[in-house]
Structures are given as C-alpha cells and as structure tokens.
Amino acid sequence: MKIYVPRDAAARALGADAVAKAVVDQAARRGVAVTLVRNGSRGMVWLEPLVEVETDAGRVGFGPVEVADVAGILDAPESHPKALGLVEAIPFLARQTRLTFQRVGVVDPLSLDDYEAHHGLKGLRRALGMTGAEVVAEVKDSGLRGRGGAGFPTGIKWETVRTAPGDRKYIVCNADEGDSGTFADRMLMEGDPFTLIEGMTIAGISVGATKGFVYLRSEYPDAIEVMTEAVRVARARGVLGASVLGSGHAFDMEIRVGAGAYVCGEETSLLNSLEGKRGVVRAKPPLPALQGFMGRPTVVNNVISLATVPVILEKGAAHYRDFGLGRSRGTIPLQIAGNVKFGGLFEAAFGLSLGAIINDIAGGTATGRPVKAVQVGGPLGAYFPVAKFGTPFGYEEFDGQGGLIGHAGIVVFDDSVDMLGMARFAMEFCAIESCGKCTPCRIGAVRGVETIDRIARGDAAAIPLLTDLCETMKDGSLCALGGFTPFPVMSALTQFPDDFARAKEAAE
Amino acid sequence: MLDSQHPLQPRLDEIIGGLRGLEGPLLPILHAVQAEWGHVPQEALAVIASALNISRAEVHGVMSFYHDFREEPAGTHLLRICRAEACQAMGGAALAEAAKARLGVDWHGTTADGGVTLEPVFCLGLCACAPAAQIDGRVVGRVDADRLEALLKECCA
Ligand SMILES: Cc1cc2nc3c(=O)[nH]c(=O)nc-3n(C[C@H](O)[C@H](O)[C@H](O)COP(=O)(O)O)c2cc1C
Ligand code: FES
C-alpha cells in the first residue's frame, strides 16, 4: 500500500508530520505494509494535510486529515467522511493546465527515478543534442517572460549572456521569493527540485556557464533542505558535474542562503549579497547579463522562469506559446492567498479574469464577507477594487490598469480591511526594507508613514503631500522597492478614498 | 585577533577553513557562526575579517545589514510571526498584538526570563493558510490566540 503525505511546508504547518507518523504507527499496528511517500503539495492548501492512497483506479485523496482520521482511512477508506475521490478529478486541480507544476505533488521530490518516470530530464537530453544558439532560440520562441516580476523575455536575456565575451559565466537562480502572497517558488523547490536543477543546467549549457547558484531565502528551511539534498543526488547520478549526463558539458551548482532582506530579491542587490557584501542595489548599466556575479556575464532568473524551461524543451516552444493571452504566453502559477475559501496554487494559461480567479476558483472570502480589495503582485503591487475584476491576468493588461502581476501572488481582503492602514503598511515596509542607497526610498518611505499618520489624524491637507511624495519616489528611486511602493499606496488612496476621508471624520 | 586560548577559536577556524574557498564566502560563514553560537559573537568578526582579508568594519557592515544576524543571543525559543499582507488579511495584526501582550514584549524583545524572543517576519510562504508563525524553526499555519497559547505552553509554558 502506497500512501502519500506531503512534506511541503504548508502541509507541515497544518500538521502533516504528525499525520505521517500516525500513518506509519497505525499501519504497523495493523500489520499492513505501507510505503510512505512525502510528496510535494498539490497546491490545494485548504485540504492540507491531503493524504493520498494509491489504488488501481488512481490516487484517492482524503483531507484535511487529522491524526484521529488516520485509523479510519486505513480501515474503511471508501466510507471515510474526508474521502475526496480521485485527486486528479477534484475540480480545482482538474481545471488547471499544469506544465511547470506537472510533477509537483505527484512525485517523490528526491527520487530521480520517479522524476525520470514522469518526463524528467527529457528537456535536458534534447537540449544536449542542440547548439546553445538553438536552445536559446527555442526559449525565445516559447514567449517565456521572467516570472520574478519584471516580465523580461527570458530568451533575450540568455542570448545576451551567451554572446557576451567571457570565459566564466554564471547562472543565478533568484529564490528570494519575498512577496507576500507568493509561494510558487517554495512549492516547486520542495515538491520537484530536479526541475529547477534541470532548468538551470539547460541554461548553463546553452549560454556557456559552468556554475550556478540558487539564492534561497532563509525563511524557507524546508526548501533549503530539499534543494540541498537534490543537488547532492543530481551530482551523484551525473546530472550535475564535470560531464552532464555524459555530454562533456560541465555544470554544477550551489545552494546559498539569504539572510532576511527583502531587497535582496532585486537582482543586483542579490548579486552583491552572493558576493558577500551588503545587499545594496547596484546602478544599471552595467546589466547583470554582462557584468553580474564577480563582474562576469550572469543569467539571473526567477525559480519559475528556470523551472519552466524543461517543459518547453520537452514539448517544444509552440506547445508552450499556444497557451496564453496577448504578449503573456504560456501558463502562470497563480498563488491565491489571504482571505479566500480555497487558497493555494492554480497553474493556468494567462487570461483568466481577476474576478473569475477570486469568485469561481477561490470561492470568495474565507470569512464569507464581501471582497473589498485584492493586492496583486506582492507588497509593491496595486490594490484592485471589485470594480476592476474584469481585468484579464496578463502583464500588459494589469499594467494598463495601473497595476502589475509581479510574481502572481493574489491577496484577497474582505470588507473589514482599512485601506489607509494598508497604505501605511506599504510605506512602513519600504522604510524597514530599504537598502539605504537612494534617498527617495530611504527617506521618502519614512516621510510616507508620517504623512499617512497625518491623514489618519484628519489632516486632509496631507493628501496632496502624499501624492507628491509618491511621484518623487516613483521617479527618483534606484530600484522598484522605492519606485513601486507608490503602487499600493496610490491605489489605496485613489480606489478607496472613503477610508482616507473616514479617518478625517473620526478625528473631527 | 583572538589569542589561541580563546574558547571560540578552534571551532571558528574550522568553520572558516571549511567555507573560505567558496566564491563569496562571507554570508555562508556568518550563517555557520550563528548556527554554532546562536549569534555572531563580536570576537568572531576580527577573525573572519583577517581570514578573508577584509576589514573588521566591512564584516560588521555586512552583518548589520541583514535582519537574520544577531549580535546578541536570542531567548531560548524564537517565535516569529508574519506581519505581511496575506496574514494581515486573516487577522495577523491581532495575533501579533496577542503575542506581544502574552509575552509582555514588543517586536525584537525577549521575555524577562529569557524564554522567548519575538521577531517579525515578512512572509513565510504560508499565505494560503494565514496567519502564519514559526517557533524554533517549526512552521504553523492558521494561528489564532488559542493556537498560540498552546504552542507557547508546549515549548516553554
Ligand atoms: C525590491 C525587489 C524585490 C524583488 N524580489 C524578487 C524575488 O524575490 N524573486 C525574483 O525572482 N525576483 C525578484 N525581483 C525581480 C528581480 O530584480 C529580477 O527582475 C528577476 O530576478 C529576474 O528574473 P526573471 O527575469 O526570471 O523574472 C525583485 C525586484 C525588486 C525591485
Ligand atoms: S504573508 Fe504571511 S506567510 Fe505569506
């Protein structure tokens, strides 16, 4: 009997370890031979811990499982009140298009054999039979754009590094995932680490880099553990090393742990941190692609960008590009979080409307109260009111509404949220996390908190000051931390003016 | 420099020796030092600096830039509560207030008995089971005041 209990951090945060132990104990007590697999999460967080039992018909799910449920699941699975039927038939999962996440939750994360049995390494094997230029052309043709936030075409970045002069080049994976409401990188690294390793290796051989780093935030101890072990396995099995899969191409990588600075997700700050310096932002140019880690040509890509490359090589650029909307090609792992009934990861082609995501897929709020605001794209993303629910999920479409998709985190708030408070938080966060190099960000954010506090005390004259301050931060900041903090602040102010006026009445 | 009798020295040399060959070894060394002693002892800075051929001020500058590195040891238990938006949407601010009141400390504070240090964290990637917290490395989701009380009782009463 094969039983799956996720080892994903969200599942563990909801009690998966105790459930896994109960499975082992109860099976032993019954004399049932059980193979326990600690898989990744399927992304249906409201069902975690989601226990799966392998049957002839497929994997049958139970959730959310508590320790007390385990005996019943072993004894009478069909009639168990928490039985969910075939996991892949659960609508939340069945409605998705899983390309990047095809194996997450399915495989044993640290079994390279399981990985290969589920199409793993096909992309790399194909890439090894192509020239670097051909691989880069394929990535370009797929239309893949950076999933870390800026949406820059991945193939074009690779081409710059490939053609840059230099005998040493690097692949740096940005696994700093600091945005609130995002966990796709974490889920992928915990649930299918070989995909990231494969993607980085393809990047390495195609641009001529022999060394890679994953800069992984310290807040993710589980991901650090799984990635570290996966790199060890990949090296032992010849996927990484002096001759990748016997091809004669060398590529190896290291896992490096961040130290709790949000700004280190910004690529130049990340490179400084990786070099052992303070994580301050570097002025651009020079582009990291030309002078990155240690001044060498460097690809810096988000986890999801890199982890999407294997499936593009496996199925071909056209297969990927045929999904999507406008200039947003392929699929995007939406992360639905905050006050929602059905939160988790939903990979779908670009183009779903924000309203469909929140109402149909996420089932509205967990509290049952009306939605008031939705922040898309992390702490630097705009707040959307319900009136903008028609906006289709795509880079240009969100930009056109004064927002951004960022890393595709969607945080839902019900009508109890105070938007002045959220605007203040955005400024406070910027002040805490500013790297300090530029004044508009470092000082502006502190002034921003003070100005919002004046508005809260009923000083309406401070509203135009806040607007001016946001303009200054937008135009004068060195990076998007100071430059984009005005998005949540100004969207709160313009879309929810009552929250700023009500504060005034309260004070009078 | 430490004299060779200093109690930190042998282990510190071992840590630095194992990591100094890395490209950009400073963060890995600081993490390893903190993992060993629970903070980065002042005396370690000069040793690291001389091993890496940089100034002590530079090591200190790097260390102080990052929220993770501590100059003083934390309490016996470290409680981190997420302050970020998704957790706020599910009552994270109230949870934080409850924790502060229960422990009688503000952010970054340690209880009088040295039992618990309270730190803010900006997202644990548990945003779909918010509010989230972490106690001594163990993550917990959907934390409310009762759950918090149970966790504190479990680890330190
Ligand atoms: C303040 C700030 C934080 C950022 N945080 C992240 C992050 O956590 N992860 C990430 O991939 N990109 C982050 N970015 C974007 C990176 O600078 C960069 O655009 C990205 O890593 C490039 O990879 P991509 O093209 O694959 O998206 C951040 C940018 C800024 C300004
Ligand atoms: S916002 Fe709290 S865990 Fe992500």
Side-chain angles (χ1 to χ4, degrees), chain A residues 178-183 217 220 337 411, chain B residues 81-88 121-133:
Chain A
D179 290 358
S180 167
T182 67
F183 43 82
R217 66 199 299 254
Y220 285 177
V411 178
Chain B
I81 294 183
C82 177
R83 283 196 63 199
E85 290 89 342
C87 285
Q88 291 187 47
V121 57
F122 293 94
C123 193
L124 291 162
L126 304 172
C127 336
C129 52

Side-chain angles (χ1 to χ4, degrees), chain A residues 50-53 58-62 82-90:
Chain A
L50 172 67
V51 172
E52 297 179 46
V53 179
R59 278 155 67 166
V60 171
F62 302 84
K82 289 190 179 168
L84 300 161
L86 289 175
V87 173
E88 300 197 336
I90 297 173

Side-chain angles (χ1 to χ4, degrees), chain A residues 145-152 154 157 174-179 185 262-268 284 300-303 305-306 380 407 479-481:
Chain A
R145 292 167 70 178
R147 301 294 189 238
F152 188 81
T154 305
K157 189 182 283 184
N174 188 339
D176 202 46
E177 196 167 64
D179 290 358
D185 297 352
Y262 176 74
V263 75
C264 285
E266 194 283 331
E267 57 186 4
T268 62
K284 282 191 268 190
V300 183
N301 269 140
N302 172 254
V303 173
S305 314
L306 289 162
L380 309 177
H407 189 46
C479 87
L481 179 50

Side-chain angles (χ1 to χ4, degrees), chain A residues 2 50 103 181 221 229 273 352 429:
Chain A
K2 204 173 201 175
L50 172 67
R103 280 174 292 265
E229 180 60 12
S273 180
L352 286 169
F429 181 71

Side-chain angles (χ1 to χ4, degrees), chain A residues 136-165:
Chain A
V136 172
E138 184 101 14
V139 174
K140 255 194 228 170
D141 285 350
S142 74
L144 177 67
R145 292 167 70 178
R147 301 294 189 238
F152 188 81
T154 305
I156 294 178
K157 189 182 283 184
W158 288 22
E159 183 65 11
T160 307
V161 177
R162 192 184 73 81
T163 54

